[in-house]
Amino acid sequence: MLHYSFKPFEQLEEIHQLPDPFLKPDDTRISNADEWPQQRQYLKEMLAYYLYGEMPPSPGNVRGSVLESRAVDGQKAVEENIRITFGPENALSMDFQLLRPVTDKKCPVLIWNVFAQEECPIAGELLEHGIALIRFNKEQLGVDSHAFYHQSPCLKAYPTYSWRAIAVWGWGYSRIIDYLEQRDDIDTDKIAVTGYSRNGKVALCAAIYDERIAVAVPCGSGCGGSGNFRFLGGRLGKDTGMQETIGSMSQMFPFWWADGLREFGVGKELPPIDIDAVLQAENPFQELLSRIDFSINGKVGPEYRLPFDMHFARALVAPRPLLTTDSLDDEWANPYGIQISWRASAEVYKMLGVLDNDAMFFREGYHTFSLADWTAVADFLYLHLLPEQNIQPRSIFVTMKIPEDVEADRINNMTSKWYCRYPHFDWRAPAAD
């Protein structure tokens, strides 16, 4: 149940900079880190109202059974096919695969929301370092189709909740964690989540609403993920390339988001594209091109009425470690806006004294869960879940941490001046006021 009241679209004023995450419901600002937990609850409810829809609480009845178990990698690991049941009258179920090393120690675990038969190219490496890997298919809980989404099991089980697909799928991570808490071979203080593209949006949503997730690594998540609704651009800066927007998402995937989100997008009057009909066409790509209204892509306007932007989502993971991985060539995912959201969310991490926990990783290449992404995921997990192993990272993470040996007067002369720049917002962390 939501405890705060939020204004509808027509009553909201335009905000042409990034909204202030420290602004309380009464329009005063929090003054210190001690007030963050209550502020965090307010912002979580704000995103539930405008972006994700409201999710039901934990059903409290998750039960799991191992359907099949087999040794792999010369008896060094075990792969288990597991089924969990839960929800009203145990009406819901989900299968997933757990790959774990054979060890006497409790294992950290990475939970991965996959596309079809997607494989992890570094599964063996994770196992060698003692990290278990879980793969699950989100569509067991909610159909990834506008035409058939209303048939989703979760919607039938919880008909009074306003949640939509991204939240439904994110809720799935939490039900897996409910089950893991019943095992004695998983270190539930060291749970990480990941996913790519829309699955990255899902991983971010899960980390916001489930604090049992210790590390979040949403990859290639773009619009509605690590990107930005207000400020768009490619690798060469603002207004370069073409980016996904609320308007274009509402045309193609309106069932992903809370019903009112489309009000904040250019082209909100356009009907959704029948993606299922597109996929059945002789040439799906050409059919899709014929249905898209390209005049709305990359444009913003109603977005300025949003009382939040996606730096709120990043900040809501704080103080826990968050890494987003993206490609500079993936203009649709808004690489410029990703940097803007990161810089703004760093103000919250700064207030909490954990600037190094808010990180970005960029690479070259296509929109795919690449080996470079996976390597960055692994490096980040080693850094934050296995610090005792002192594994040297192969990836370069961008964070806002100020080196301890740099004096204040030298900071102002540094070439990058990351510490002195505040693009697209004029507010600061309370400690800096």
Side-chain angles (χ1 to χ4, degrees):
M1 176 183 295
L2 298 181
H3 301 90
Y4 298 93
S5 297
F6 299 101
K7 296 178 180 179
F9 172 83
E10 59 274 7
Q11 295 180 18
L12 293 166
E13 296 181 1
E14 291 191 356
I15 306 174
H16 286 264
Q17 65 167 329
L18 293 180
D20 184 352
F22 303 111
L23 199 63
K24 296 189 290 186
D26 63 1
D27 288 334
T28 63
R29 300 182 86 233
I30 66 172
S31 58
N32 56 61
D34 291 339
E35 296 181 72
W36 178 246
Q38 183 173 346
Q39 179 70 0
R40 184 175 180 274
Q41 182 60 35
Y42 166 57
L43 299 184
K44 283 170 58 179
E45 293 194 15
M46 181 185 292
L47 293 195
Y49 182 83
Y50 290 108
L51 184 64
Y52 296 119
E54 188 181 3
M55 291 177 269
S58 171
N61 64 343
V62 173
R63 297 292 180 269
S65 59
V66 178
L67 304 179
E68 181 182 9
S69 178
R70 66 183 184 92
V72 296
D73 194 21
Q75 309 295 320
K76 294 181 180 179
V78 174
E79 183 178 70
E80 299 176 354
N81 291 328
I82 298 167
R83 175 170 297 163
I84 57 175
T85 59
F86 50 93
E89 300 182 355
N90 293 303
L92 299 172
S93 67
M94 184 166 61
D95 293 354
F96 59 90
Q97 291 75 47
L98 168 62
L99 182 63
R100 58 177 176 83
V102 175
T103 176
D104 294 333
K105 299 179 180 180
K106 288 189 174 184
C107 300
V109 62
L110 174 63
I111 307 176
W112 175 30
N113 170 24
V114 304
F115 286 112
Q117 300 303 312
E118 203 174 12
E119 296 294 336
C120 174
I122 60 162
E125 177 187 322
L126 294 175
L127 290 171
E128 287 180 8
H129 290 288
I131 298 177
L133 177 67
I134 286 177
R135 302 170 71 255
F136 80 97
N137 186 333
K138 63 185 182 295
E139 291 198 53
Q140 296 174 87
L141 300 179
V143 183
D144 194 2
S145 162
H146 180 55
F148 299 101
Y149 179 68
H150 65 282
Q151 300 176 8
S152 296
C154 277
L155 294 190
K156 293 181 177 180
Y158 293 97
T160 62
Y161 286 84
S162 61
W163 57 343
R164 292 297 178 257
I166 298 295
V168 167
W169 299 330
W171 197 72
Y173 279 98
S174 295
R175 305 293 68 81
I176 291 174
I177 295 172
D178 289 344
Y179 165 74
L180 295 178
E181 290 184 324
Q182 302 169 28
R183 296 181 63 121
D184 58 11
D185 55 355
I186 299 295
D187 188 344
T188 52
D189 290 328
K190 295 184 175 182
I191 295 173
V193 296
T194 194
Y196 196 84
S197 194
R198 68 192 64 179
N199 295 348
K201 306 180 205 294
V202 174
L204 179 59
C205 175
I208 289 170
Y209 291 95
D210 195 331
E211 294 186 49
R212 296 173 298 178
I213 294 170
V215 179
V217 192
C219 303
S221 54
C223 189
S226 61
N228 194 279
F229 290 131
R230 281 171 171 79
F231 301 107
L232 309 177
R235 68 186 300 164
L236 297 179
K238 189 174 183 292
D239 299 328
T240 61
M242 183 175 291
Q243 290 74 46
E244 187 175 34
T245 63
I246 290 175
S248 55
M249 281 197 306
S250 296
Q251 264 208 297
M252 300 180 68
F253 309 108
F255 61 97
W256 284 1
W257 309 105
D259 291 343
L261 185 67
R262 68 179 296 115
E263 291 295 316
F264 296 91
V266 175
K268 58 188 176 184
E269 70 284 351
L270 298 172
I273 295 173
D274 187 347
I275 298 297
D276 300 284
V278 168
L279 294 176
Q280 295 173 16
E282 183 176 346
N283 188 326
F285 181 69
Q286 290 298 325
E287 181 66 21
L288 178 61
L289 291 180
S290 70
R291 293 174 181 240
I292 293 177
D293 186 340
F294 285 99
S295 66
I296 71 171
N297 289 340
K299 294 183 178 179
V300 298
E303 286 89 346
Y304 293 122
R305 290 187 183 232
L306 285 169
F308 71 95
D309 216 310
M310 294 312 290
H311 61 299
F312 279 29
R314 292 189 71 111
L316 285 170
V317 179
R320 294 165 292 158
L322 167 68
L323 171 70
T324 55
T325 80
D326 293 277
S327 169
L328 290 168
D329 296 317
D330 190 2
E331 293 185 337
W332 189 246
N334 191 13
Y336 174 76
I338 288 166
Q339 297 173 70
I340 298 301
S341 290
W342 162 78
R343 178 60 188 87
S345 65
E347 290 295 300
V348 173
Y349 278 85
K350 178 181 180 181
M351 177 186 67
L352 299 176
V354 286
L355 268 173
D356 221 22
N357 283 359
D358 188 16
M360 295 186 299
F361 169 81
F362 278 104
R363 59 168 174 82
E364 309 281 343
Y366 300 105
H367 183 75
T368 184
F369 209 160
S370 71
L371 178 59
D373 291 308
W374 274 112
T375 301
V377 171
D379 286 347
F380 202 68
L381 297 187
Y382 302 152
L383 181 65
H384 291 283
L385 298 183
L386 302 172
E388 70 281 358
Q389 294 189 16
N390 196 29
I391 302 169
Q392 295 302 306
R394 298 151 291 182
S395 310
I396 297 176
F397 304 130
V398 180
T399 71
M400 275 289 297
K401 186 174 182 180
I402 301 175
E404 294 179 0
D405 61 346
V406 177
E407 298 90 354
D409 60 342
R410 287 187 56 209
I411 290 173
N412 292 325
N413 294 319
M414 293 177 68
T415 302
S416 67
K417 294 187 179 179
W418 277 116
Y419 317 108
C420 311
R421 294 177 179 173
Y422 302 87
H424 305 307
F425 63 98
D426 60 13
W427 43 264
R428 307 287 186 270
D433 286 347

